[in-house]
Amino acid sequence: MNFIETRGNDGKRPASVSFSQAILNPMSSFGGIYAPEVIPAFGEHFLAESLDRDYKALARDILALFGIDISAELVEQALVTYDGFDDPANPVPVVKIGERLHVSELYHGPTRAFKDMALQPFGVVLSGLAQARNEHYLILAATSGDTGPAALDTFRNKPNIKVACLYPDGGTSDVQRLQMVTEDAPNLKVIGIHGNFDDAQAALKRLLGSDVFRATLVEKHTRLSAANSVNFGRIIFQLIYHVHSYLELVRQGQIQLGDKVYMVVPSGNFGNALGGYYAWQMGLPVEKIVIASNANNVLTDLINTGSYDLRGRQLIGTSSPAMDILKSSNVERILFHLFGADRTRELMRQLDEEHHYQLTDEEVRAMQELFCADFCTDEEGKAHIKEYFEQGYLMDPHTATCMKAHASCCTRPLHAIVYSTAEWTKFSPSIANALTGEVDTHDLDALKTIARLANTEVPARIRQLFDMPVAQKTVVDKEDIEKEVLAFL
């Protein structure tokens, strides 16, 4: 399996690279990223044969279809990380919460968010490659709240790896922030920035694409990679849980093998939806992928009108902060697969330079064959949280955005899978407010309120965060990020 560049080749880089090359050096020509040259197909009997396989066996089979150049031994070491989830036999429970409505709970890993599904194994793979090559890597991560804790957890004390994690100061929940700033391993650096997630992601992509920064790292005998979903090493592990969730519905007797389903996905950086797209193209029976946004509804506009327009648009802080994003990186891979590298380069240039682009009518129709989209305000999200809690299910604000999109987009009488990206503990003030109408200004108070109402306990892993010392205190202007990273090295 070769990986090629979403914006075409500039003549200075290889025209195609292996999987290991793509994850070690995730940025490509013209500021683009890598995508598979060919999307493999499951084959006639793959899904039926997979019904008797556990999660790790399914993952092993899907990775084999991509023909990745990673040793079987390293793959096994990576998949062992799923043994650290709540239920090693079933790391992703699928729960029925309504008629033809199911939730795929992706948050049962160590940091209680769906990023663990990909970053736990990815950390093992990347560190293993670095050690095998006797190379040292700086891993850059930009986070809106969940990637950071998951990246720091997976790379903690890993040989040959250092991590610099950028997060928007004041733009995450208390729990997310504490998960980052209490990390004290010597190979980890957490940097708060005065700005939002788009500023952090722009800084990451600028450093990844900077020849000067890369040359400076070479002087320090260090190479550069990334833990964000610009790295296909993340995406390949994300598509697995889409297949697993479908198979779980078959195992539970909710659907028959071959029945189509809706996938309802919180938008974010579009990596979750992209994993679903790849699973669909490989042969998973999917009716449509439903994209749920919050008030930062730029993707709703893109899918409904073909317009990606950031002109005069300000990022809005919401109760679902992991989705407070205006430039979703993985949309680029969809553009590439649908319209080719030349058109993708043209569209991304317009977005970078003019802050907007407009798809043609034909291109809009192609997008709408795959996707439907809607957005949810904070008030609507709170109403959904309360409604489902009263029916016996506790969900976080990101999952709640999916409920409105499910109602408006899932128009055929088919089963739908909602992908729940975070445990309730990560966003407790918003949930407590939805349930009681009261405002808890501190996460710990809100956690206790929810635990009491739900007759459950605050998990020890989360409760202990509030007693741990803050080891990472750096907060800088975005112009000073590069200097801070180099000082860390």
Short mmCIF file of all heavy atoms in Angstrom, two decimals, residues 424-457:
data_model
loop_
_atom_site.label_atom_id
_atom_site.label_comp_id
_atom_site.label_asym_id
_atom_site.label_seq_id
_atom_site.Cartn_x
_atom_site.Cartn_y
_atom_site.Cartn_z
N TRP A 424 -18.84 11.36 30.42
CA TRP A 424 -19.47 12.50 31.08
C TRP A 424 -18.53 13.26 31.99
O TRP A 424 -18.70 14.47 32.23
CB TRP A 424 -20.70 12.03 31.88
CG TRP A 424 -20.40 11.07 33.00
CD1 TRP A 424 -20.33 9.71 32.91
CD2 TRP A 424 -20.15 11.40 34.36
NE1 TRP A 424 -20.04 9.16 34.14
CE2 TRP A 424 -19.93 10.17 35.06
CE3 TRP A 424 -20.10 12.59 35.09
CZ2 TRP A 424 -19.65 10.12 36.42
CZ3 TRP A 424 -19.82 12.53 36.45
CH2 TRP A 424 -19.59 11.32 37.11
N THR A 425 -17.50 12.60 32.48
CA THR A 425 -16.57 13.24 33.42
C THR A 425 -15.75 14.35 32.79
O THR A 425 -15.21 15.20 33.50
CB THR A 425 -15.60 12.19 34.00
OG1 THR A 425 -14.92 11.53 32.92
CG2 THR A 425 -16.35 11.16 34.81
N LYS A 426 -15.65 14.36 31.47
CA LYS A 426 -14.79 15.34 30.81
C LYS A 426 -15.45 16.73 30.70
O LYS A 426 -14.76 17.73 30.52
CB LYS A 426 -14.40 14.86 29.40
CG LYS A 426 -13.68 13.52 29.35
CD LYS A 426 -12.30 13.57 29.99
CE LYS A 426 -11.27 14.28 29.16
NZ LYS A 426 -10.75 13.49 28.04
N PHE A 427 -16.76 16.77 30.78
CA PHE A 427 -17.48 18.04 30.55
C PHE A 427 -18.61 18.20 31.57
O PHE A 427 -19.74 18.55 31.24
CB PHE A 427 -18.04 18.08 29.12
CG PHE A 427 -16.96 17.89 28.09
CD1 PHE A 427 -16.75 16.65 27.51
CD2 PHE A 427 -16.13 18.94 27.73
CE1 PHE A 427 -15.74 16.46 26.59
CE2 PHE A 427 -15.11 18.75 26.81
CZ PHE A 427 -14.92 17.51 26.23
N SER A 428 -18.27 17.97 32.82
CA SER A 428 -19.30 17.90 33.86
C SER A 428 -20.06 19.20 34.11
O SER A 428 -21.27 19.15 34.36
CB SER A 428 -18.69 17.39 35.17
OG SER A 428 -17.56 18.15 35.54
N PRO A 429 -19.45 20.41 34.07
CA PRO A 429 -20.25 21.61 34.33
C PRO A 429 -21.42 21.77 33.36
O PRO A 429 -22.53 22.14 33.77
CB PRO A 429 -19.23 22.75 34.20
CG PRO A 429 -17.93 22.13 34.56
CD PRO A 429 -18.01 20.74 33.97
N SER A 430 -21.19 21.50 32.08
CA SER A 430 -22.26 21.63 31.09
C SER A 430 -23.36 20.61 31.34
O SER A 430 -24.56 20.91 31.22
CB SER A 430 -21.70 21.45 29.67
OG SER A 430 -20.76 22.45 29.38
N ILE A 431 -22.97 19.39 31.70
CA ILE A 431 -23.96 18.34 31.92
C ILE A 431 -24.76 18.64 33.19
O ILE A 431 -26.00 18.51 33.20
CB ILE A 431 -23.27 16.97 32.01
CG1 ILE A 431 -22.55 16.65 30.71
CG2 ILE A 431 -24.29 15.88 32.33
CD1 ILE A 431 -21.67 15.42 30.76
N ALA A 432 -24.06 19.03 34.25
CA ALA A 432 -24.76 19.36 35.50
C ALA A 432 -25.76 20.50 35.29
O ALA A 432 -26.88 20.47 35.81
CB ALA A 432 -23.75 19.72 36.59
N ASN A 433 -25.34 21.49 34.50
CA ASN A 433 -26.24 22.60 34.21
C ASN A 433 -27.46 22.14 33.43
O ASN A 433 -28.60 22.57 33.69
CB ASN A 433 -25.48 23.68 33.42
CG ASN A 433 -26.37 24.83 33.01
OD1 ASN A 433 -26.63 25.02 31.82
ND2 ASN A 433 -26.84 25.61 33.97
N ALA A 434 -27.26 21.22 32.49
CA ALA A 434 -28.38 20.69 31.71
C ALA A 434 -29.35 19.94 32.60
O ALA A 434 -30.58 20.00 32.40
CB ALA A 434 -27.86 19.78 30.60
N LEU A 435 -28.83 19.24 33.61
CA LEU A 435 -29.68 18.40 34.45
C LEU A 435 -30.37 19.17 35.56
O LEU A 435 -31.48 18.81 35.99
CB LEU A 435 -28.86 17.26 35.05
CG LEU A 435 -28.20 16.30 34.05
CD1 LEU A 435 -27.46 15.20 34.79
CD2 LEU A 435 -29.23 15.70 33.10
N THR A 436 -29.72 20.22 36.06
CA THR A 436 -30.25 20.91 37.25
C THR A 436 -30.61 22.36 37.00
O THR A 436 -31.36 22.96 37.79
CB THR A 436 -29.22 20.88 38.39
OG1 THR A 436 -28.10 21.71 38.05
CG2 THR A 436 -28.74 19.46 38.66
N GLY A 437 -30.06 22.96 35.97
CA GLY A 437 -30.25 24.40 35.75
C GLY A 437 -29.30 25.24 36.56
O GLY A 437 -29.21 26.46 36.36
N GLU A 438 -28.58 24.62 37.50
CA GLU A 438 -27.62 25.35 38.32
C GLU A 438 -26.28 25.46 37.60
O GLU A 438 -25.96 24.67 36.71
CB GLU A 438 -27.42 24.62 39.66
CG GLU A 438 -28.68 24.45 40.48
CD GLU A 438 -29.28 25.79 40.90
OE1 GLU A 438 -28.50 26.70 41.22
OE2 GLU A 438 -30.53 25.91 40.91
N VAL A 439 -25.48 26.45 38.02
CA VAL A 439 -24.17 26.67 37.41
C VAL A 439 -23.09 26.29 38.41
O VAL A 439 -22.94 26.93 39.46
CB VAL A 439 -23.99 28.13 36.96
CG1 VAL A 439 -22.58 28.35 36.41
CG2 VAL A 439 -25.04 28.50 35.92
N ASP A 440 -22.35 25.22 38.12
CA ASP A 440 -21.19 24.84 38.92
C ASP A 440 -19.95 25.42 38.24
O ASP A 440 -19.66 25.08 37.09
CB ASP A 440 -21.05 23.32 39.00
CG ASP A 440 -22.10 22.68 39.90
OD1 ASP A 440 -22.32 23.23 41.00
OD2 ASP A 440 -22.70 21.67 39.51
N THR A 441 -19.25 26.29 38.92
CA THR A 441 -18.11 26.95 38.29
C THR A 441 -16.87 26.06 38.28
O THR A 441 -15.93 26.34 37.55
CB THR A 441 -17.78 28.27 39.01
OG1 THR A 441 -17.57 28.00 40.41
CG2 THR A 441 -18.92 29.26 38.86
N HIS A 442 -16.84 25.01 39.08
CA HIS A 442 -15.69 24.12 39.13
C HIS A 442 -16.11 22.71 38.74
O HIS A 442 -17.18 22.23 39.14
CB HIS A 442 -15.06 24.10 40.53
CG HIS A 442 -14.54 25.44 40.96
ND1 HIS A 442 -13.45 26.03 40.37
CD2 HIS A 442 -14.99 26.31 41.90
CE1 HIS A 442 -13.22 27.20 40.94
NE2 HIS A 442 -14.15 27.40 41.87
N ASP A 443 -15.25 22.05 37.98
CA ASP A 443 -15.56 20.70 37.52
C ASP A 443 -15.83 19.74 38.68
O ASP A 443 -16.72 18.89 38.59
CB ASP A 443 -14.40 20.14 36.68
CG ASP A 443 -14.45 20.62 35.24
OD1 ASP A 443 -14.97 21.73 35.01
OD2 ASP A 443 -13.96 19.91 34.34
N LEU A 444 -15.08 19.86 39.76
CA LEU A 444 -15.23 18.91 40.86
C LEU A 444 -16.63 18.97 41.46
O LEU A 444 -17.24 17.93 41.76
CB LEU A 444 -14.17 19.15 41.93
CG LEU A 444 -14.08 18.10 43.04
CD1 LEU A 444 -13.86 16.71 42.46
CD2 LEU A 444 -12.96 18.45 44.02
N ASP A 445 -17.15 20.19 41.63
CA ASP A 445 -18.52 20.32 42.15
C ASP A 445 -19.53 19.69 41.20
O ASP A 445 -20.47 19.00 41.62
CB ASP A 445 -18.86 21.80 42.36
CG ASP A 445 -18.02 22.45 43.44
OD1 ASP A 445 -17.57 21.72 44.34
OD2 ASP A 445 -17.80 23.68 43.37
N ALA A 446 -19.34 19.94 39.91
CA ALA A 446 -20.27 19.40 38.92
C ALA A 446 -20.18 17.88 38.86
O ALA A 446 -21.20 17.19 38.72
CB ALA A 446 -19.96 20.00 37.54
N LEU A 447 -18.97 17.34 38.97
CA LEU A 447 -18.80 15.88 38.98
C LEU A 447 -19.59 15.24 40.12
O LEU A 447 -20.26 14.22 39.94
CB LEU A 447 -17.32 15.53 39.10
CG LEU A 447 -16.45 15.75 37.85
CD1 LEU A 447 -14.97 15.73 38.21
CD2 LEU A 447 -16.75 14.69 36.80
N LYS A 448 -19.50 15.85 41.30
CA LYS A 448 -20.22 15.32 42.46
C LYS A 448 -21.73 15.41 42.25
O LYS A 448 -22.48 14.50 42.63
CB LYS A 448 -19.79 16.07 43.71
CG LYS A 448 -18.34 15.82 44.13
CD LYS A 448 -17.95 16.68 45.33
CE LYS A 448 -16.50 16.42 45.73
NZ LYS A 448 -16.07 17.31 46.85
N THR A 449 -22.18 16.51 41.64
CA THR A 449 -23.62 16.67 41.38
C THR A 449 -24.13 15.58 40.47
O THR A 449 -25.16 14.94 40.73
CB THR A 449 -23.89 18.06 40.75
OG1 THR A 449 -23.53 19.09 41.67
CG2 THR A 449 -25.35 18.20 40.37
N ILE A 450 -23.41 15.33 39.37
CA ILE A 450 -23.84 14.31 38.41
C ILE A 450 -23.79 12.93 39.04
O ILE A 450 -24.71 12.11 38.86
CB ILE A 450 -22.98 14.37 37.14
CG1 ILE A 450 -23.13 15.73 36.45
CG2 ILE A 450 -23.36 13.26 36.17
CD1 ILE A 450 -22.09 15.99 35.38
N ALA A 451 -22.73 12.65 39.77
CA ALA A 451 -22.60 11.34 40.42
C ALA A 451 -23.77 11.07 41.35
O ALA A 451 -24.31 9.96 41.40
CB ALA A 451 -21.28 11.26 41.17
N ARG A 452 -24.19 12.12 42.06
CA ARG A 452 -25.32 11.96 42.98
C ARG A 452 -26.61 11.70 42.19
O ARG A 452 -27.38 10.79 42.52
CB ARG A 452 -25.46 13.21 43.85
CG ARG A 452 -26.70 13.22 44.74
CD ARG A 452 -26.71 14.44 45.65
NE ARG A 452 -26.52 15.69 44.92
CZ ARG A 452 -27.50 16.32 44.27
NH1 ARG A 452 -28.72 15.81 44.25
NH2 ARG A 452 -27.26 17.45 43.65
N LEU A 453 -26.84 12.48 41.13
CA LEU A 453 -28.07 12.33 40.35
C LEU A 453 -28.12 10.99 39.63
O LEU A 453 -29.19 10.39 39.48
CB LEU A 453 -28.18 13.48 39.34
CG LEU A 453 -28.41 14.88 39.92
CD1 LEU A 453 -28.31 15.92 38.82
CD2 LEU A 453 -29.78 14.96 40.60
N ALA A 454 -26.96 10.53 39.18
CA ALA A 454 -26.91 9.28 38.41
C ALA A 454 -26.67 8.06 39.27
O ALA A 454 -26.59 6.94 38.75
CB ALA A 454 -25.82 9.38 37.34
N ASN A 455 -26.53 8.30 40.57
CA ASN A 455 -26.28 7.20 41.51
C ASN A 455 -25.06 6.40 41.10
O ASN A 455 -25.07 5.17 41.01
CB ASN A 455 -27.50 6.29 41.63
CG ASN A 455 -27.40 5.35 42.84
OD1 ASN A 455 -26.74 5.69 43.83
ND2 ASN A 455 -28.03 4.20 42.75
N THR A 456 -23.98 7.12 40.83
CA THR A 456 -22.72 6.50 40.43
C THR A 456 -21.59 7.20 41.18
O THR A 456 -21.83 8.06 42.02
CB THR A 456 -22.52 6.57 38.91
OG1 THR A 456 -21.38 5.80 38.54
CG2 THR A 456 -22.35 8.00 38.42
N GLU A 457 -20.37 6.83 40.88
CA GLU A 457 -19.21 7.44 41.51
C GLU A 457 -18.35 8.14 40.48
O GLU A 457 -18.32 7.74 39.30
CB GLU A 457 -18.37 6.39 42.25
CG GLU A 457 -19.07 5.75 43.44
CD GLU A 457 -18.15 4.81 44.20
OE1 GLU A 457 -16.99 4.63 43.75
OE2 GLU A 457 -18.59 4.26 45.22
#
